[in-house]
Amino acid sequence: MKNKNPNILTMKRKETFAGYFFISPALLFYSIFFIFPVTFSFLISFKRWNMLRPLSSSPWIGFRNYIYLFTRDDLFKASLINSVIYAFVTVFLTLSIALLIAVVLLNIKYAVVWRFIFFAPIVTPQVALGIVWGYLYDPNRGLLNSILSFFGIPTHHWLTDPSLALFSVMITAVWAGIGGPLLIFTASLKGIPDLYYDAAKIDGANAIKRFWYITLPLLRPTLLFTIITGLLGAWQVFDLIYIMTRNAPAESVWVVSLYMYQIAFQSLRMGRASAAAFILFLIVLVITLIVLRIFKKGGIEGYE
Amino acid sequence: MVKRLFLISLLILGLSILSWGSIKLVMAVHWSDYQVNGVYDKNGNLVSKGLKQYVDEYMHLNPDVKIEIQSVAFDDYLKKILITHMSGKSADVYLLYSLWGVQLVDSGILNVPPRYISEDVKKNYVESAIKGTTINNVIWGIPIEVDNYALVYNKKLLKEAGYSHPPKTWDELVEMAPKLIKKDNKGAVKQYGFAFLAGWDSAVVHPYLSLLYSCGGKMLAPGYKKCLLNSPEAIKALNEELRVFKNGGTDPSASVWNFAQGTVAMIIMAPWYESSLKIAFGDKFAETVGVAPIPYIDKPANVSYAWFTGVDSTCKHKKQAWKFLSWLCSEIQPNTKTTRLGDLMAETIGAIPPRIIDLKNHPKQLEDVYTRTFIKELKHSIPEPNVVQGAEIKTTLMNEIVKAWHGEQTAKQALEKATKKINEILSEYY
Amino acid sequence: MNRKRKRLISRIIIYIILAIIGISMILPFVWLVSSSLKTRAEFVAKPPVWIPEKAQWNNYPKVIKKVPFLKYYSNSLIVSLSVTLCVTITSAFAGFAFAKYNFKFKQFLFSFFLSTIMLPAFLFVVPEYFMFSKIPLIGGNSIWGTGGYGLLHSRLVLILPFIVNSWGIFLARQFYIISIPDELLQAARIDGASEFKIFIKLIIPISKPVLATIAIITFITQWNYLFWPLVISSSAPELSTLPVGMKMLAMAFDPARNQQLILAGLTIGIIPPSLIFILFQKYYVSGIGMTGLKE
């Protein structure tokens, strides 16, 4: 029994050793830069700490931070809703437009120039984009309002009007975010063999039908990837909203990442801010798993 | 990587050995650019001194002391204190807005000044500055700046509408504002009668407090145990603000920053806007810009806030730090009969120095058309309360007021909500 | 005849839409550069001035004198390059392990790695700042890690928190699953090579596409990152990176006064890197194509 397949045993051990060897740097990294910070922050979320008093002497208040956030903090609830709206709308718009443009650009000459144009905002820090668009949206001197007035549309206060502010930031985010998915979709689209389309054309399918029944299904893995990446990025957005929405009423524009920052550094409630961060994490986790499940129903291998 | 770490530690060890024996003070300031480096004319000659020149002078007189100036943006200042404190390596000398000071005092971060300093403050500074620097009945540093608010108006625009003098009472302002509105042929507002300061907590809360004080109200009960913003006076004060919105004198998108473009007739503003206005209006400044006391509801009043210097309680050279601050802020220069800080504030930074003798002896800067009204109004200035979690309390109030401006809730609703939240915050500390 | 015309019309429509979209993509940048060359009066003019009368090229020297661009660029460059190098290497290693080896807890560890992406970055800031300040025997610290400022004044503090990235691991794993047949590995093993040697001599050379993709994405992301460098620069201003510099730019000139100078500064910070990144575009595209995202 022991000597049944010695080779297999040693091979298994070798595999295990090799496996751990290769992931050891990552493992080491995460034990230092993940386990400790997360545990630390988790513990803080049960305390009231203003970052000035020593951590050890700050009171332990159990779940009170979490309870407060869920039941009595209107601003947090508004931020959560804003975060969700922001994430879904921007991702949906960005990906739809990127996909459409990718399809269109496949058959255009000088596509490289076009892709260049879309890629420029991706490589620019969001801080800079936020400042530039802040000027563009200026009600009195901004480019946007002067262009719109040319068409007879009255001046709007894009960044201060509570009903418009978040929407305006989302437009900027979409503008800035098209380039990345565009390149990914382009690469993926290029990989679909022409003969699929040719066969469909022979069968009399028009462009829209070809797109719906051939392109989309074959792009499923890519779509999943871009949706998940997009959502994860959108939950964390900070720079853009921070820079652009200084003057809008808080509840209409704050997203959770901004809320955490202000609660920590302005109201000096580090404990509550950490609790908010963990709540956000749970929401992100749940939504990501839901998205994965939706896509898995179509049978994708290789993703968890 | 190990080699790099080793080299870095050697370097640091070397540097620390070199500076052995000398006293190093780190001074964190929210000033930058010309405020620190001085103002130069086209030919590179120093026109007015910045903080750096004074610091260099002190280091020259005291060769064993090294002072390093760190510029931090106003937005990031408190954050910097919090973060550097966690690493145990905070700055030694601070310029503190009084509400930041309250947080620091509450957590034991500040060092109580030596007796000679607090005695000097009690004797030689204006009332509002002293009160602003007092937290829990202790004076925590040397006041360096006192600010209050006034009505800043465009004389030309008022004259065009037929007004030869600015409104004295709030009722007059409510009546005047809509008459100063100009619209273009599409119905969009070209010129506003009045604009409220907005964008950060003090911007919204301070003018409101001025109105509140002017009808006899108070924000917090003595001892800060209770919030009084649901009192009839508080509701009245906010309703008075809303009247300007209701009869068309302003709307939520009016921006005070357009005053410099000549498209807003009246604003409530602080002294530090002067240099921007001088640049915007150029040589037409004196004939265009007028300053008057804030139109009051029942009696004249406005709100003041103060800045003071403080020393960190973990500073290793506290005595030296206070000595430097005393030299900078309290020592009277024999030929000008002013303090060096007074010169810096009045000449370079364009703010109001809080020391009585500086107020007297800087006639050129402080007697000008703009600033002298602010100084006169110091006698009606009531300092904002030095309460813990001040920023959070003011932000809470600001959020409710702004919603009321947008018509999303009535004054009563706004203030009831604010009072409830603020009482919760107060109960944590008082 | 009808079909040809239809195609022509649809082509024209597509071109028009593309043109509109293309213009709106570029417009902000065009505005940025043109405004950076205006005088103050032109900038605040109403109705807005589109093209300045006389290009104020001297706006640029004015900005360069006041803003330490060299420091920002060099910090950003050093940090981004270092992080990119580390991430590429660690991603290749770990991605390969997850792709080609079976070991206990493999599923769990992979899920764990991926879940690290979902935690808000905010949670890491305070603890990591604290950690770096208390490293013993560095930066003036005693053996207990107190008294000095640890690594906080070294560029390492901007690099170390980012040297492993689960996106990179994920992409590498995808690539290896698809592009490296098991038979290849078996053959190499039969030849008697150790796993490590196989990796270095055989796998790495084939990995160029995915490594290029990971490198480019990492570099760009790291270049643009604001939050952590902002926190670090409050205690060590000499470590400011370009995004931090741009945020401070708004403070260097009174924002209500000299916006055109701010914009000149932004242009200096945006245009050079963008041009370079865009040149590398094609490597990024080809690499993505090989990670099985187009199954």
Side-chain angles (χ1 to χ4, degrees):
Chain A
M1 205 58 76
K2 230 202 299 189
N3 284 338
K4 191 159 195 192
N5 282 314
N7 282 340
I8 294 187
L9 273 179
T10 32
M11 247 185 60
K12 237 190 167 193
R13 209 182 293 161
K14 247 189 156 182
E15 238 191 305
T16 310
F17 177 74
Y20 274 101
F21 172 76
F22 280 107
I23 69 171
S24 53
L27 217 49
L28 181 64
F29 174 83
Y30 281 125
S31 5
I32 303 178
F33 287 104
F34 184 84
I35 307 269
F36 172 69
V38 174
T39 320
F40 187 93
S41 290
F42 192 62
L43 290 176
I44 293 182
S45 73
F46 294 110
K47 280 188 167 234
R48 182 194 301 155
W49 187 41
N50 67 0
M51 288 188 277
L52 292 171
R53 292 224 182 86
L55 191 55
S56 41
S57 64
S58 303
W60 180 270
I61 56 175
F63 281 98
R64 253 197 278 163
N65 280 328
Y66 290 92
I67 297 177
Y68 183 88
L69 288 171
F70 272 122
T71 58
R72 292 205 297 203
D73 198 335
D74 296 327
L75 191 52
F76 180 67
K77 287 195 208 125
S79 309
L80 268 182
I81 297 179
N82 288 335
S83 278
V84 173
I85 295 179
Y86 181 89
F88 280 103
V89 173
T90 28
V91 169
F92 177 72
L93 284 179
T94 310
L95 293 186
S96 322
I97 298 180
L99 185 55
L100 246 42
I101 296 185
V103 167
V104 165
L105 283 187
L106 270 184
N107 306 316
I108 302 280
K109 276 192 279 192
Y110 307 119
V112 189
V113 178
W114 290 107
R115 282 190 227 123
F116 170 111
I117 292 177
F118 286 102
F119 202 58
I122 298 280
V123 297
T124 309
Q126 292 213 316
V127 180
L129 296 177
I131 297 179
V132 172
W133 276 85
Y135 286 127
L136 294 180
Y137 277 130
D138 184 308
N140 296 307
R141 296 183 253 121
L143 211 54
L144 188 64
N145 274 322
S146 64
I147 295 180
L148 287 181
S149 69
F150 194 65
F151 292 106
I153 303 178
T155 307
H156 285 300
H157 296 93
W158 302 102
L159 292 179
T160 49
D161 187 332
S163 47
L164 288 178
L166 191 61
F167 175 71
S168 311
V169 179
M170 290 198 283
I171 299 272
T172 307
V174 170
W175 172 88
I178 294 185
L182 178 63
L183 288 186
I184 297 181
F185 286 139
T186 305
S188 309
L189 285 173
K190 284 212 169 122
I192 299 181
D194 281 334
L195 64 90
Y196 290 174
Y197 293 118
D198 293 338
K201 271 190 225 173
I202 292 176
D203 282 349
N206 65 9
I208 297 185
K209 277 226 177 84
R210 293 202 298 272
F211 180 77
W212 195 258
Y213 288 108
I214 300 180
T215 318
L216 274 188
L218 285 176
L219 276 185
R220 260 194 138 164
T222 315
L223 278 178
L224 178 63
F225 179 77
T226 48
I227 290 179
I228 302 255
T229 352
L231 281 179
L232 289 181
W235 299 118
Q236 306 251 27
V237 68
F238 177 81
D239 313 359
L240 207 59
I241 305 196
Y242 180 61
I243 295 277
M244 288 176 80
T245 61
R246 318 296 302 283
N247 290 341
E251 278 163 33
S252 63
V253 285
W254 275 21
V255 290
V256 181
S257 45
L258 199 57
Y259 174 91
M260 295 189 291
Y261 181 85
Q262 298 287 57
I263 292 294
F265 294 115
Q266 279 265 50
S267 307
L268 303 183
R269 296 184 185 275
M270 193 60 198
R272 195 177 290 170
S274 302
F278 278 107
I279 295 179
L280 179 64
F281 165 66
L282 283 177
I283 294 181
V284 170
L285 187 62
V286 166
I287 294 188
T288 308
L289 289 177
I290 293 179
V291 173
L292 280 175
R293 168 114 318 163
I294 294 181
F295 270 76
K296 227 183 195 157
K297 281 207 303 224
I300 311 244
E301 258 109 51
Y303 291 79
E304 302 204 35
Chain B
M1 180 116 83
V2 180
K3 193 166 174 212
R4 224 201 267 181
L5 285 180
F6 182 66
L7 285 175
I8 292 177
S9 17
L10 263 191
L11 185 66
I12 293 171
L13 190 62
L15 283 178
S16 29
I17 290 182
L18 276 180
S19 53
W20 192 263
S22 64
I23 296 173
K24 178 138 186 264
L25 295 173
V26 175
M27 181 173 181
V29 302
H30 65 291
W31 295 325
S32 63
D33 195 30
Y34 67 90
Q35 294 159 330
V36 174
N37 298 319
V39 181
Y40 292 83
D41 66 11
K42 288 198 195 91
N43 304 320
N45 300 320
L46 189 64
V47 166
S48 48
K49 293 198 217 172
L51 180 65
K52 185 166 168 304
Q53 278 77 29
Y54 289 106
V55 165
D56 288 341
E57 205 184 308
Y58 186 81
M59 292 200 288
H60 193 70
L61 295 171
N62 301 275
D64 58 329
V65 178
K66 253 184 71 67
I67 304 179
E68 177 196 327
I69 303 177
Q70 285 182 352
S71 270
V72 187
F74 172 75
D75 286 347
D76 293 331
Y77 197 89
L78 185 58
K79 189 176 90 190
K80 178 196 160 82
I81 300 183
L82 298 172
I83 289 177
T84 53
H85 223 267
M86 272 195 293
S87 65
K89 264 289 178 160
S90 28
D92 301 299
V93 175
Y94 299 117
L95 297 185
L96 296 171
Y97 168 43
S98 59
L99 286 186
W100 298 342
V102 179
Q103 298 299 137
L104 299 179
V105 165
D106 182 65
S107 305
I109 307 292
L110 287 187
N111 174 243
V112 181
R115 226 242 163 123
Y116 70 92
I117 298 232
S118 35
E119 290 303 313
D120 175 70
V121 170
K122 280 196 251 188
K123 268 204 298 209
N124 297 311
Y125 284 78
V126 298
E127 185 72 34
S128 27
I130 303 177
K131 285 219 192 104
T133 314
T134 308
I135 303 167
N136 299 339
N137 293 319
V138 175
I139 293 180
W140 287 91
I142 309 178
I144 57 167
E145 181 181 335
V146 68
D147 293 282
N148 56 358
Y149 291 81
L151 183 78
V152 177
Y153 61 97
N154 189 318
K155 293 195 261 202
K156 283 216 180 108
L157 296 184
L158 256 64
K159 227 195 317 193
E160 273 172 21
Y163 293 105
S164 54
H165 59 86
K168 220 158 72 164
T169 65
W170 191 256
D171 278 331
E172 284 175 31
L173 184 138
V174 174
E175 207 210 297
M176 279 172 72
K179 307 229 172 70
L180 289 158
I181 295 254
K182 282 206 199 126
K183 297 197 176 158
D184 66 11
N185 46 8
K186 294 206 188 83
V189 177
K190 261 195 327 186
Q191 173 184 305
Y192 279 99
F194 183 80
F196 277 102
L197 193 57
W200 68 100
D201 53 359
S202 301
V204 172
V205 170
H206 283 169
Y208 168 74
L209 285 184
S210 304
L211 284 181
L212 177 63
Y213 294 155
S214 81
C215 67
K218 277 217 275 256
M219 181 165 130
L220 303 171
Y224 302 149
K225 287 208 198 296
K226 211 165 77 142
C227 173
L228 300 174
L229 287 174
N230 52 358
S231 62
E233 293 89 9
I235 300 180
K236 178 164 179 211
L238 186 53
N239 271 322
E240 290 296 318
E241 282 198 1
L242 294 178
R243 274 176 71 200
V244 188
F245 286 91
K246 293 214 175 96
N247 72 351
T250 188
D251 64 38
S253 32
S255 167
V256 303
W257 311 117
N258 290 330
F259 182 87
Q261 265 67 267
T263 54
V264 178
M266 301 184 283
I267 59 177
I268 295 180
M269 189 37 95
W272 39 259
Y273 198 38
E274 179 180 18
S275 32
S276 301
L277 289 180
K278 279 211 173 118
I279 294 190
F281 287 111
D283 45 6
K284 297 215 183 344
F285 175 78
E287 62 192 64
T288 318
V289 177
V291 182
I294 298 182
Y296 54 86
I297 297 181
D298 293 327
K299 59 181 199 296
N302 64 71
V303 74
S304 72
Y305 60 94
W307 286 73
F308 62 91
T309 64
V311 173
D312 194 299
S313 54
T314 61
C315 171
K316 296 201 179 59
H317 309 284
K318 297 190 187 64
K319 249 185 29 185
Q320 295 294 334
W322 286 116
K323 190 158 158 270
F324 162 66
L325 288 176
S326 180
W327 175 89
L328 181 67
C329 308
S330 324
E331 194 177 281
I332 314 279
Q333 302 168 97
N335 44 342
T336 58
K337 296 260 191 298
T338 59
T339 64
R340 297 178 182 86
L341 182 78
D343 292 345
L344 179 63
M345 290 314 244
E347 289 174 28
T348 311
I349 301 195
I352 302 180
R355 199 181 177 95
I356 298 180
I357 203 172
D358 284 316
L359 285 174
K360 249 197 338 191
N361 292 335
H362 282 108
K364 205 172 77 172
Q365 295 85 6
L366 301 179
E367 294 282 306
D368 75 302
V369 147
Y370 190 87
T371 317
R372 68 162 175 249
T373 312
F374 286 96
I375 297 181
K376 253 190 5 184
E377 284 303 295
L378 278 176
K379 63 177 185 276
H380 292 134
S381 297
I382 303 177
E384 62 171 352
N386 272 350
V387 58
V388 179
Q389 296 295 108
E392 187 180 26
I393 290 177
K394 277 160 56 179
T395 307
T396 308
L397 180 57
M398 167 182 84
N399 287 337
E400 302 303 330
I401 292 182
V402 170
K403 279 203 282 201
W405 286 356
H406 278 96
E408 292 177 28
Q409 56 187 358
T410 67
K412 189 154 189 281
Q413 290 170 327
L415 289 169
E416 293 279 347
K417 273 203 237 162
T419 309
K420 188 155 160 279
K421 289 191 193 151
I422 296 178
N423 274 327
E424 279 172 14
I425 301 174
L426 291 175
S427 63
E428 289 177 31
Y429 293 93
Y430 295 102
Chain C
M1 185 58 85
N2 226 2
R3 218 194 302 158
K4 248 198 171 167
R5 190 181 262 197
K6 251 199 190 170
R7 211 186 291 168
L8 186 63
I9 293 184
S10 57
R11 277 241 142 172
I12 294 182
I13 295 183
I14 289 181
Y15 270 114
I16 292 182
I17 296 183
L18 264 186
I20 295 181
I21 297 185
I23 293 182
S24 45
M25 289 301 294
I26 293 207
L27 202 54
F29 289 107
V30 168
W31 176 87
L32 173 66
V33 177
S34 102
S35 300
S36 68
L37 295 171
K38 292 181 187 161
T39 63
R40 163 156 180 84
E42 285 173 328
F43 188 84
V44 300
K46 216 192 154 187
V49 170
W50 287 71
I51 304 182
E53 267 225 23
K54 201 169 133 218
Q56 303 283 323
W57 294 106
N58 64 347
N59 279 346
Y60 281 86
K62 272 195 221 168
V63 176
I64 295 183
K65 246 194 296 177
K66 285 203 176 175
V67 179
F69 278 109
L70 196 60
K71 176 174 79 173
Y72 297 149
Y73 266 106
S74 66
N75 280 335
S76 276
L77 202 61
I78 295 179
V79 169
S80 302
L81 279 177
S82 314
V83 169
T84 304
L85 190 65
C86 294
V87 166
T88 315
I89 297 177
T90 55
S91 301
F93 268 69
F96 182 66
F98 283 118
K100 293 296 172 193
Y101 294 116
N102 279 314
F103 45 93
K104 237 175 168 197
F105 302 126
K106 171 167 134 166
Q107 259 311 95
F108 168 75
L109 282 177
F110 188 62
S111 311
F112 169 71
F113 280 14
L114 284 189
S115 68
T116 62
I117 305 177
M118 293 191 242
L119 276 164
F122 175 81
L123 289 172
F124 295 87
V125 168
V126 169
E128 282 183 359
Y129 188 88
F130 189 73
M131 267 168 59
F132 279 114
S133 73
K134 298 264 178 258
I135 299 186
L137 302 178
I138 300 270
N141 275 338
S142 67
I143 202 168
W144 301 115
T146 57
Y149 41 79
L151 266 185
L152 288 178
H153 289 210
S154 146
R155 280 204 197 94
L156 282 176
V157 78
L158 291 176
I159 299 174
L160 289 177
F162 303 104
I163 55 181
V164 172
N165 187 314
S166 287
W167 276 128
I169 298 179
F170 174 77
L171 285 177
R173 173 180 180 271
Q174 286 306 109
F175 175 80
Y176 289 136
I177 287 183
I178 291 174
S179 317
I180 310 250
D182 288 336
E183 297 76 42
L184 191 59
L185 286 176
Q186 302 288 38
R189 283 190 196 123
I190 291 177
D191 281 348
S194 76
E195 298 300 310
F196 188 65
K197 208 149 162 220
I198 297 180
F199 184 72
I200 299 288
K201 287 259 152 76
L202 181 63
I203 306 294
I204 293 274
I206 321 182
S207 321
K208 287 216 182 72
V210 76
L211 292 188
T213 306
I214 295 176
I216 293 177
I217 301 179
T218 310
F219 190 88
I220 294 178
T221 315
Q222 201 57 38
W223 182 270
N224 288 346
Y225 196 50
L226 176 68
F227 202 49
W228 177 249
L230 187 61
V231 169
I232 293 295
S233 66
S234 28
S235 52
E238 67 274 11
L239 291 179
S240 304
T241 57
L242 198 57
V244 175
M246 295 215 238
K247 182 175 180 287
M248 298 222 260
L249 191 56
M251 167 177 101
F253 307 103
D254 172 358
R257 279 199 262 167
N258 280 316
Q259 291 119 320
Q260 75 281 9
L261 292 177
I262 296 180
L263 294 178
L266 288 185
T267 312
I268 300 179
I270 295 180
I271 303 290
S274 305
L275 291 176
I276 299 183
F277 288 140
I278 287 163
L279 285 178
F280 283 109
Q281 217 194 91
K282 66 172 184 217
Y283 297 109
Y284 173 76
V285 175
S286 66
I288 284 279
M290 305 188 77
T291 51
L293 293 173
K294 56 171 178 61
E295 263 165 346

PDB file of all heavy atoms in Angstrom, chain B residues 344-358:
ATOM      1  N   LEU B 344       4.179  91.270   9.339  1.00  0.00           N
ATOM      2  CA  LEU B 344       3.943  90.198   8.371  1.00  0.00           C
ATOM      3  C   LEU B 344       2.463  90.124   8.008  1.00  0.00           C
ATOM      4  O   LEU B 344       2.089  90.070   6.839  1.00  0.00           O
ATOM      5  CB  LEU B 344       4.409  88.858   8.963  1.00  0.00           C
ATOM      6  CG  LEU B 344       4.215  87.615   8.098  1.00  0.00           C
ATOM      7  CD1 LEU B 344       5.025  87.731   6.834  1.00  0.00           C
ATOM      8  CD2 LEU B 344       4.627  86.375   8.866  1.00  0.00           C
ATOM      9  N   MET B 345       1.619  90.168   9.017  1.00  0.00           N
ATOM     10  CA  MET B 345       0.186  90.055   8.759  1.00  0.00           C
ATOM     11  C   MET B 345      -0.330  91.242   7.976  1.00  0.00           C
ATOM     12  O   MET B 345      -1.018  91.103   6.976  1.00  0.00           O
ATOM     13  CB  MET B 345      -0.593  89.953  10.073  1.00  0.00           C
ATOM     14  CG  MET B 345      -0.397  88.656  10.800  1.00  0.00           C
ATOM     15  SD  MET B 345      -0.543  87.282   9.703  1.00  0.00           S
ATOM     16  CE  MET B 345      -1.943  86.464  10.348  1.00  0.00           C
ATOM     17  N   ALA B 346       0.020  92.424   8.436  1.00  0.00           N
ATOM     18  CA  ALA B 346      -0.566  93.609   7.827  1.00  0.00           C
ATOM     19  C   ALA B 346      -0.011  93.868   6.445  1.00  0.00           C
ATOM     20  O   ALA B 346      -0.737  94.206   5.524  1.00  0.00           O
ATOM     21  CB  ALA B 346      -0.341  94.816   8.735  1.00  0.00           C
ATOM     22  N   GLU B 347       1.304  93.705   6.287  1.00  0.00           N
ATOM     23  CA  GLU B 347       1.913  94.103   5.022  1.00  0.00           C
ATOM     24  C   GLU B 347       1.861  93.012   3.979  1.00  0.00           C
ATOM     25  O   GLU B 347       1.529  93.248   2.834  1.00  0.00           O
ATOM     26  CB  GLU B 347       3.377  94.502   5.258  1.00  0.00           C
ATOM     27  CG  GLU B 347       3.531  95.794   5.999  1.00  0.00           C
ATOM     28  CD  GLU B 347       5.001  96.048   6.336  1.00  0.00           C
ATOM     29  OE1 GLU B 347       5.855  95.562   5.580  1.00  0.00           O
ATOM     30  OE2 GLU B 347       5.263  96.724   7.345  1.00  0.00           O
ATOM     31  N   THR B 348       2.250  91.794   4.349  1.00  0.00           N
ATOM     32  CA  THR B 348       2.391  90.769   3.323  1.00  0.00           C
ATOM     33  C   THR B 348       1.140  89.933   3.168  1.00  0.00           C
ATOM     34  O   THR B 348       0.677  89.682   2.067  1.00  0.00           O
ATOM     35  CB  THR B 348       3.573  89.844   3.670  1.00  0.00           C
ATOM     36  OG1 THR B 348       4.697  90.640   3.980  1.00  0.00           O
ATOM     37  CG2 THR B 348       3.878  88.920   2.514  1.00  0.00           C
ATOM     38  N   ILE B 349       0.585  89.493   4.297  1.00  0.00           N
ATOM     39  CA  ILE B 349      -0.508  88.546   4.201  1.00  0.00           C
ATOM     40  C   ILE B 349      -1.848  89.241   4.046  1.00  0.00           C
ATOM     41  O   ILE B 349      -2.802  88.680   3.513  1.00  0.00           O
ATOM     42  CB  ILE B 349      -0.486  87.622   5.437  1.00  0.00           C
ATOM     43  CG1 ILE B 349       0.870  86.931   5.447  1.00  0.00           C
ATOM     44  CG2 ILE B 349      -1.599  86.622   5.415  1.00  0.00           C
ATOM     45  CD1 ILE B 349       0.967  85.761   6.325  1.00  0.00           C
ATOM     46  N   GLY B 350      -1.921  90.472   4.495  1.00  0.00           N
ATOM     47  CA  GLY B 350      -3.174  91.194   4.311  1.00  0.00           C
ATOM     48  C   GLY B 350      -4.246  90.768   5.288  1.00  0.00           C
ATOM     49  O   GLY B 350      -5.425  90.720   4.959  1.00  0.00           O
ATOM     50  N   ALA B 351      -3.863  90.433   6.500  1.00  0.00           N
ATOM     51  CA  ALA B 351      -4.850  90.038   7.500  1.00  0.00           C
ATOM     52  C   ALA B 351      -4.776  91.018   8.674  1.00  0.00           C
ATOM     53  O   ALA B 351      -3.896  91.873   8.726  1.00  0.00           O
ATOM     54  CB  ALA B 351      -4.565  88.624   7.974  1.00  0.00           C
ATOM     55  N   ILE B 352      -5.683  90.869   9.602  1.00  0.00           N
ATOM     56  CA  ILE B 352      -5.759  91.798  10.725  1.00  0.00           C
ATOM     57  C   ILE B 352      -4.937  91.262  11.888  1.00  0.00           C
ATOM     58  O   ILE B 352      -5.239  90.204  12.440  1.00  0.00           O
ATOM     59  CB  ILE B 352      -7.216  91.976  11.185  1.00  0.00           C
ATOM     60  CG1 ILE B 352      -8.066  92.482  10.018  1.00  0.00           C
ATOM     61  CG2 ILE B 352      -7.280  92.937  12.346  1.00  0.00           C
ATOM     62  CD1 ILE B 352      -9.510  92.673  10.388  1.00  0.00           C
ATOM     63  N   PRO B 353      -3.880  91.962  12.270  1.00  0.00           N
ATOM     64  CA  PRO B 353      -3.103  91.517  13.433  1.00  0.00           C
ATOM     65  C   PRO B 353      -3.898  91.783  14.702  1.00  0.00           C
ATOM     66  O   PRO B 353      -4.522  92.835  14.833  1.00  0.00           O
ATOM     67  CB  PRO B 353      -1.853  92.394  13.371  1.00  0.00           C
ATOM     68  CG  PRO B 353      -2.264  93.596  12.603  1.00  0.00           C
ATOM     69  CD  PRO B 353      -3.382  93.215  11.697  1.00  0.00           C
ATOM     70  N   PRO B 354      -3.894  90.849  15.608  1.00  0.00           N
ATOM     71  CA  PRO B 354      -4.773  90.980  16.770  1.00  0.00           C
ATOM     72  C   PRO B 354      -4.184  91.747  17.953  1.00  0.00           C
ATOM     73  O   PRO B 354      -4.857  91.951  18.949  1.00  0.00           O
ATOM     74  CB  PRO B 354      -5.034  89.520  17.167  1.00  0.00           C
ATOM     75  CG  PRO B 354      -3.833  88.785  16.680  1.00  0.00           C
ATOM     76  CD  PRO B 354      -3.265  89.531  15.528  1.00  0.00           C
ATOM     77  N   ARG B 355      -2.944  92.186  17.838  1.00  0.00           N
ATOM     78  CA  ARG B 355      -2.351  92.874  18.968  1.00  0.00           C
ATOM     79  C   ARG B 355      -2.721  94.354  18.887  1.00  0.00           C
ATOM     80  O   ARG B 355      -2.616  94.974  17.836  1.00  0.00           O
ATOM     81  CB  ARG B 355      -0.836  92.716  18.938  1.00  0.00           C
ATOM     82  CG  ARG B 355      -0.189  92.980  20.275  1.00  0.00           C
ATOM     83  CD  ARG B 355       1.319  92.824  20.171  1.00  0.00           C
ATOM     84  NE  ARG B 355       1.959  93.145  21.423  1.00  0.00           N
ATOM     85  CZ  ARG B 355       2.284  92.233  22.338  1.00  0.00           C
ATOM     86  NH1 ARG B 355       2.040  90.977  22.132  1.00  0.00           N
ATOM     87  NH2 ARG B 355       2.851  92.616  23.473  1.00  0.00           N
ATOM     88  N   ILE B 356      -3.109  94.912  19.997  1.00  0.00           N
ATOM     89  CA  ILE B 356      -3.645  96.272  20.004  1.00  0.00           C
ATOM     90  C   ILE B 356      -2.643  97.268  19.442  1.00  0.00           C
ATOM     91  O   ILE B 356      -2.977  98.148  18.645  1.00  0.00           O
ATOM     92  CB  ILE B 356      -4.067  96.679  21.421  1.00  0.00           C
ATOM     93  CG1 ILE B 356      -5.172  95.738  21.888  1.00  0.00           C
ATOM     94  CG2 ILE B 356      -4.540  98.118  21.458  1.00  0.00           C
ATOM     95  CD1 ILE B 356      -5.667  96.031  23.276  1.00  0.00           C
ATOM     96  N   ILE B 357      -1.389  97.087  19.793  1.00  0.00           N
ATOM     97  CA  ILE B 357      -0.411  98.056  19.338  1.00  0.00           C
ATOM     98  C   ILE B 357      -0.172  97.945  17.831  1.00  0.00           C
ATOM     99  O   ILE B 357       0.132  98.918  17.152  1.00  0.00           O
ATOM    100  CB  ILE B 357       0.907  97.885  20.124  1.00  0.00           C
ATOM    101  CG1 ILE B 357       1.708  99.178  20.086  1.00  0.00           C
ATOM    102  CG2 ILE B 357       1.724  96.739  19.585  1.00  0.00           C
ATOM    103  CD1 ILE B 357       2.900  99.171  20.984  1.00  0.00           C
ATOM    104  N   ASP B 358      -0.352  96.725  17.294  1.00  0.00           N
ATOM    105  CA  ASP B 358      -0.205  96.570  15.842  1.00  0.00           C
ATOM    106  C   ASP B 358      -1.372  97.226  15.122  1.00  0.00           C
ATOM    107  O   ASP B 358      -1.214  97.817  14.054  1.00  0.00           O
ATOM    108  CB  ASP B 358      -0.145  95.084  15.462  1.00  0.00           C
ATOM    109  CG  ASP B 358       1.196  94.474  15.777  1.00  0.00           C
ATOM    110  OD1 ASP B 358       2.213  95.123  15.483  1.00  0.00           O
ATOM    111  OD2 ASP B 358       1.228  93.351  16.321  1.00  0.00           O
TER     112      ASP B 358
END
